[in-house]
Amino acid sequence: MTNAGLNNQNLEHIRRICEDAGIKLTHQRLEIFKELMTAQDHPSAEDIHRRLQKKMPTVAIDTVYRTLATFDELGIARKLHLANNRNLFDTNLAPHHHFICDHCRKVDDIYWPDFDRTTLPAEISGIGRVRSRHLELHGLCTACLEQSGE
Amino acid sequence: MTNAGLNNQNLEHIRRICEDAGIKLTHQRLEIFKELMTAQDHPSAEDIHRRLQKKMPTVAIDTVYRTLATFDELGIARKLHLANNRNLFDTNLAPHHHFICDHCRKVDDIYWPDFDRTTLPAEISGIGRVRSRHLELHGLCTACLEQSGE
DNA sequence: GTTAATGCAAACGGTTTGCAGGGGT
DNA sequence: ACCCCTGCAAACCGTTTGCATTAAC
């Protein structure tokens, strides 16, 4: 989730990317790309597959998995491994973290540059070299807070 | 991972817990408890099952899953949902986070009270109420750093 | 003797794989 | 025409469930 919708620039974008990578721009890849770029949330492979049913009733779930893996490798989207065992996809390539509603499972992007810059605890140097920080804030989103009394 | 090994106090401890909870102290529960308490790492259910094979060759994997879920509910151990889709168990009940080696997959406990106390970014108030912070530091542990030519 | 817990087997959900046939270059 | 990509089906892995048997109280 991130993008301001699909436009011709995106279409030219994916065409270029496929060309550069030496892979074919198939109907399935194009539609999955469009679905990703217009998604307003963090969809799973199965979400994408379900949403494509209307346009492409014959697309197979394994094609969706393969295509999303390809997009992840090409840097178009990023596969999120969240701690609740859900693999979601994110087109927001900027550094950010996530807020996860434990009730409705909605995932929101969180920006916290101050935290990203914070010095790590000294003990970590004895354990290894840190390459990335994965932060999830868990709680209840405003909608679920209101709904569940109060 | 946390404990200083198994002793009679632990045995009396699990007996009390089962009694208080109104559940039976079975041979399986006792052995799984001992395995957890002596573990020097963060074992998965399948790790526990494998390690028990010597002592209890007939113990079933589903019993291990059920028992670990029970221990999680009783507060003896905590089920960790890590972002690499592995469900591990931790007997360290103190607030802490984890360092995960992306090469050998070792998991180390990290204490970072300064971070735990840090004020969240202002934008979060518009998204929901945070109840917990899940932090994973990813990288390479010292052993893997040396080994891989550093 | 009751009742809860175990072992077995089978199902589960999400994901991946081998393969033959179809579509893009 | 070539070969990559797709769809199908089946396997996969970790986990869960229903059920009859077993063992703790």
Side-chain angles (χ1 to χ4, degrees), chain A residues 47-146:
Chain A
D47 289 333
I48 297 283
H49 183 243
R50 192 175 332 106
R51 293 171 194 178
L52 280 175
Q53 295 301 334
K54 302 142 193 170
K55 292 182 177 177
M56 304 183 69
T58 64
V59 68
I61 183 69
D62 39 273
T63 299
V64 176
Y65 276 107
R66 278 189 275 230
T67 302
L68 290 172
T70 302
F71 286 175
D72 187 43
E73 287 162 19
L74 294 182
I76 299 173
R78 189 155 289 156
K79 187 174 185 177
L80 297 179
H81 301 266
L82 297 186
N84 30 328
N85 293 339
R86 290 193 301 161
N87 295 326
L88 306 182
F89 288 84
D90 198 340
T91 55
N92 183 355
L93 302 177
H96 67 282
H97 304 284
H98 296 98
F99 172 86
I100 296 153
C101 177
D102 290 329
H103 185 247
C104 71
R105 318 206 89 194
K106 184 168 76 98
V107 178
D108 276 304
D109 289 352
I110 296 292
Y111 299 90
W112 197 0
D114 284 350
F115 164 69
D116 298 332
R117 284 190 294 264
T118 308
T119 311
L120 293 169
E123 65 172 304
I124 200 71
S125 58
I127 296 176
R129 181 178 300 160
V130 174
R131 293 194 298 196
S132 65
R133 308 179 183 193
H134 172 108
L135 175 64
E136 297 177 19
L137 302 178
H138 284 259
L140 294 177
C141 71
T142 47
C144 288
L145 271 175
E146 291 172 14

Side-chain angles (χ1 to χ4, degrees), chain B residues 84-98:
Chain B
N84 29 331
N85 293 339
R86 292 192 302 161
N87 295 326
L88 305 182
F89 288 84
D90 196 339
T91 54
N92 182 355
L93 302 177
H96 66 283
H97 304 285
H98 296 98

